[in-house]
Amino acid sequence: MQIFSKIYQKTLDWAQSKFAVYWLSGVSFLESSVLPYPPPDILLAPMALKQPDKAYSFALIATVFSVLGGLSGYLLGDILLNFLLSYELLKPESIDLIKGFFDEYGIWVVGIAAFSPIPYKLATISAGSMAMPLLPFIAISLIARGARYYLVAGLVKAYGGACDQWLKKYIDRLGYGLIVMVIFGVWYVG
């Protein structure tokens, strides 16, 4: 069965769609605020592969909409905290402890989450709920998200053809291997 090959090909087809930029914008926004997956990289990479001359433009779109989504998550965090406190689902003492940590390390938490596979929305919602100053939040989000998406676009632009050939050859084995690793991980932890 070549399930992963079909999924990979479908993603490449979406990347060539006339609506690809809109999908990239929407996924970038939603992934940064409320949706757990898919990360925008899944669309950005094949879009950069199919149109290498526009790779950095696509990275800019992903960055801008991701940071706008991050601002939505920030606002959601503020609303969520007020809701949890009003129904006494959180103790104010707990909030003070977390706020102290976030005041000291918040910019790094947001920066690491914005660049790494750690869900960025967790950092955006936390930043809003802990009232992180808005300008540093926006600045670190732009820097880290931009670095991530421009890195993806640059790597795909430089090595995309070779990676595409390699993925077409091994994508199914990689996909099934990942499933086995997840099952083993769940079994091991459980």
Side-chain angles (χ1 to χ4, degrees):
M1 272 191 324
Q2 296 183 330
I3 295 171
F4 296 99
S5 294
K6 290 178 183 175
I7 293 171
Y8 180 65
Q9 188 56 51
K10 191 66 172 167
T11 304
L12 291 175
D13 293 344
W14 286 340
Q16 291 181 303
S17 160
K18 64 182 179 180
F19 302 110
V21 170
Y22 301 111
W23 283 110
L24 178 63
S25 302
V27 167
S28 297
F29 182 88
L30 292 171
E31 185 271 338
S32 296
S33 55
V34 292
L35 291 182
Y37 288 101
D41 314 68
I42 289 176
L43 283 173
L44 174 60
M47 289 172 69
L49 179 66
K50 293 298 182 182
Q51 298 180 54
D53 56 318
K54 294 184 177 181
Y56 295 124
S57 297
F58 296 145
L60 177 64
I61 290 166
T63 301
V64 168
F65 280 92
S66 183
V67 172
L68 289 173
L71 285 169
S72 267
Y74 184 97
L75 294 173
L76 179 64
D78 186 40
I79 294 167
L80 182 63
L81 179 65
N82 290 330
F83 172 80
L84 294 172
L85 287 173
S86 68
Y87 286 99
E88 297 178 3
L89 297 172
L90 285 177
K91 295 180 180 177
E93 308 84 52
S94 301
I95 299 301
D96 292 338
L97 180 68
I98 296 168
K99 179 138 177 54
F101 171 82
F102 216 86
D103 285 345
E104 191 168 341
Y105 301 108
I107 197 163
W108 298 112
V109 170
V110 173
I112 290 168
F115 186 77
S116 73
I118 296 169
Y120 175 55
K121 80 201 66 24
L122 295 178
T124 66
I125 293 169
S126 298
S129 64
M130 295 297 114
M132 179 180 180
L134 193 57
L135 286 179
F137 171 80
I138 294 170
I140 194 66
S141 293
L142 281 170
I143 291 167
R145 277 309 210 186
R148 174 179 172 160
Y149 298 135
Y150 277 89
L151 178 65
V152 168
L155 288 172
V156 170
K157 191 172 179 173
Y159 304 107
C163 291
D164 183 44
Q165 293 303 316
W166 188 83
L167 277 173
K168 284 180 180 175
K169 186 174 181 179
Y170 296 108
I171 190 78
D172 288 304
R173 292 179 198 163
L174 290 169
Y176 290 121
L178 180 62
I179 289 172
V180 168
M181 286 174 36
V182 168
I183 290 170
F184 178 73
V186 168
W187 171 78
Y188 183 76
V189 171

